[in-house]
Amino acid sequence: MNIFLFMISCILTNNFIFSKFLGCCPFLGVSSKVETAASMGLAVTFVMTIASLFAYAVNTWVLVPLHLEYMQTIAFILVIASLVQFVEMFLKKSMPALYSALGIYLPLITTNCAVLGVATLNVKEGYNMLFSVLNGTFSALGFLLAIVLMAGVRERLESSKIPQCMKGFPISLVIAGLMAVAFMGFNGMV
Amino acid sequence: MLPILYAGLVLGVLGLIFGLVLTFASKKFHVDVDERVAKVREACSGANCGACGYPGCDGFAAAVVAGEAPVNGCTPGGAESARKIAAIMGTEAGDEKERLVARVRCQGAKGIAKERYVYDGYVSCATAASMAGGPKDCRFACIGMGDCMNHCSFGAIKMVDHLAVIDEKKCTACGTCVATCPRNVIELLPASQSVIVRCRNSDIARVARAVCMDACIGCGRCKRECQYEAIVVENGYARILPDKCTRCGACAKVCPCNCIVVS
């Protein structure tokens, strides 16, 4: 498959939030401000890239040779959790500015289903190492795009007149649905 | 039985490896964090208001431990947090600063200050102020759309009849409202200062009187009445000096415009 097409499809057509419905919790929970949404998106991008690499390594060189594929989920959780811990320590030491910018979002990602989702999907689709990492990075960029767009819309909503019963989460869910429909329009592209 | 053992063993070994890597990493990437920083952070108000002049409570805590910020620098925390921080740092709390509270220098509620037009836009003082000088005729008046209320972290401000009303018990003098108000209506004054001039209209008497029933016209009767020289009339309105004022309230009795208030 053409690598460029693959990247585009990860971001737009196979968007994690709008077509796979993974990572919806942070999508709704951390999208009230563009700034925090962007840092959450960046943190997810960071972790998903590394997690897909390590999950691929553990799966290919440990689980498959030992015929323990049924342990994927628990092994991936272990990998992701330790990885996030490690990345956190590393950032705290060497990049304090980035560490404080990502803040609470970095440890939160440990339990983000999008990260576990990308690791599992890579195995299911049988991607090689390059495509696994690309899938991780560009799916996360799709997540970043979605959460920043959503935050932009929600910031505008703050100052618009909405019926009382629709204020807050109801209107956010309606918007999420409309955005998902809009993203389906990319389906014919790839 | 064997496959289960086998699976458990593999997972255990994986966990052990990751654990060892993390242990090694925690030693290798260890960052010395002064435990006092976290304690000082606990002791201050936690409002992230910025009244101390540092970027949030974390910045203040780091500056206190580094010896750059004074232990009584947390305004919202007041004397209590100054005492706690001093105990952590092993120093004296120093002179206790008198508690300040925010006071609204305007009485132009609905019906008292004249309205210029009916404002039906986005509810924000800053936006309203940019529309032909604001919805009230007085260019010094509280606009009453609640920008200060929305920025107050302590819920100490509410809007009554298009006028900000401050709950002095809840106010911590962080100064966020002072910085937010586009009209500069709010001022921090000592809590004991019970006599306040509640107007800051600088216009000449005729203009001031035309836009608001309770406007200070700068007549100077309060200044003449005051035995302690605690009142100055500058820029067309009276101002009470808290250091000299004895809170006797004689000025309030003679004010022809009811703009000196004794609370």
Side-chain angles (χ1 to χ4, degrees):
Chain A
M1 194 201 261
N2 187 328
I3 288 189
F4 180 71
L5 267 185
F6 180 75
M7 292 171 183
I8 295 292
S9 78
C10 284
I11 296 180
L12 298 176
T13 42
N14 293 328
N15 190 290
F16 251 55
I17 289 170
F18 294 135
S19 72
K20 290 182 181 143
F21 305 107
L22 286 169
C24 284
C25 167
F27 176 67
L28 290 170
V30 206
S31 62
S32 48
K33 274 185 189 157
V34 171
E35 208 176 302
T36 47
S39 23
M40 180 70 189
L42 284 176
V44 169
T45 312
F46 199 67
V47 172
M48 263 169 82
T49 308
I50 311 174
S52 45
L53 177 68
F54 276 81
Y56 176 83
V58 167
N59 185 57
T60 320
W61 295 317
V62 180
L63 297 184
V64 174
L66 297 173
H67 304 291
L68 287 171
E69 287 91 341
Y70 60 90
M71 302 258 291
Q72 263 165 14
T73 310
I74 193 163
F76 288 169
I77 290 175
L78 193 64
V79 170
I80 293 164
S82 352
L83 204 62
V84 173
Q85 279 295 313
F86 181 81
V87 167
E88 202 184 344
M89 284 181 212
F90 176 73
L91 285 184
K92 201 173 179 181
K93 179 75 177 180
S94 52
M95 287 178 250
L98 185 63
Y99 174 76
S100 56
L102 296 180
I104 182 76
Y105 303 117
L106 197 55
L108 269 182
I109 293 164
T110 320
T111 50
N112 187 340
C113 66
V115 183
L116 185 62
V118 80
T120 319
L121 281 174
N122 283 341
V123 175
K124 206 178 124 197
E125 300 284 334
Y127 290 143
N128 61 19
M129 188 184 263
L130 176 67
F131 274 84
S132 295
V133 175
L134 282 179
N135 190 24
T137 315
F138 285 89
S139 297
L141 286 178
F143 176 86
L144 174 70
L145 177 74
I147 198 170
V148 168
L149 285 178
M150 182 67 171
V153 174
R154 283 182 72 174
E155 276 192 357
R156 294 285 289 267
L157 281 181
E158 290 279 307
S159 57
S160 48
K161 283 183 181 165
I162 304 164
Q164 191 64 37
C165 60
M166 292 296 284
K167 268 186 184 164
F169 268 106
I171 193 80
S172 305
L173 289 170
V174 170
I175 286 161
L178 289 176
M179 284 168 87
V181 173
F183 267 70
M184 273 177 79
F186 290 115
N187 263 344
M189 249 177 72
V190 181
Chain B
M1 192 61 197
L2 204 60
I4 300 176
L5 275 178
Y6 199 44
L9 198 68
V10 169
L11 204 66
V13 170
L14 266 181
L16 192 69
I17 293 170
F18 287 135
L20 284 175
V21 170
L22 281 182
T23 317
F24 175 71
S26 72
K27 288 272 184 293
K28 175 91 178 161
F29 299 123
H30 181 69
V31 182
D32 283 319
V33 180
D34 198 326
E35 61 178 12
R36 289 180 301 176
V37 174
K39 279 188 189 165
V40 172
R41 175 74 181 73
E42 278 294 299
C44 51
S45 70
N48 274 327
C49 59
C52 50
Y54 291 90
C57 298
D58 289 318
F60 173 70
V64 167
V65 173
E68 290 161 8
V71 287
N72 57 1
C74 182
T75 319
E80 195 191 342
S81 87
R83 201 161 12 82
K84 278 190 202 158
I85 296 172
I88 296 162
M89 296 300 294
T91 52
E92 292 292 315
D95 290 337
E96 222 171 79
K97 286 193 280 187
E98 204 203 327
R99 197 173 85 90
L100 297 174
V101 288
R103 295 266 166 76
V104 180
R105 292 180 293 170
C106 180
Q107 298 190 96
K110 204 174 190 178
I112 294 175
K114 270 199 188 147
E115 283 185 46
R116 179 175 291 157
Y117 56 81
V118 176
Y119 180 81
D120 194 25
Y122 177 44
V123 182
S124 153
C125 301
T127 317
S130 64
M131 302 280 183
K136 283 177 185 170
D137 249 344
C138 176
R139 59 196 178 100
F140 304 94
C142 168
I143 295 167
M145 303 274 174
D147 277 12
C148 49
M149 176 176 75
N150 296 336
H151 280 80
C152 182
S153 316
F154 305 96
I157 306 179
K158 60 177 192 276
M159 309 309 291
V160 179
D161 286 339
H162 295 255
L163 191 68
V165 176
I166 294 174
D167 184 341
E168 294 185 5
K169 288 202 184 85
K170 288 184 187 166
C171 179
T172 59
C174 68
T176 311
C177 51
V178 178
T180 309
C181 182
R183 283 289 167 78
N184 204 7
V185 165
I186 306 174
E187 183 186 27
L188 294 179
L189 286 170
S192 65
Q193 181 66 46
S194 53
V195 187
I196 338 154
V197 182
R198 288 195 59 188
C199 182
R200 54 180 296 276
N201 191 316
S202 309
D203 285 329
I204 55 168
R206 183 171 51 82
V207 178
R209 208 55 201 265
V211 296
C212 181
M213 283 159 67
D214 285 352
C216 176
I217 55 175
C219 65
R221 280 179 72 174
C222 48
K223 187 185 174 187
R224 287 192 291 279
E225 186 69 22
C226 183
Q227 305 168 23
Y228 311 99
E229 296 177 344
I231 299 181
V232 286
V233 180
E234 286 172 343
N235 304 324
Y237 65 95
R239 200 158 55 85
I240 298 175
L241 306 173
D243 297 344
K244 290 184 181 167
C245 178
T246 58
R247 285 76 160 153
C248 68
C251 47
K253 292 192 186 86
V254 298
C255 179
C257 316
N258 306 319
C259 61
I260 301 183
V261 176
V262 184
S263 52

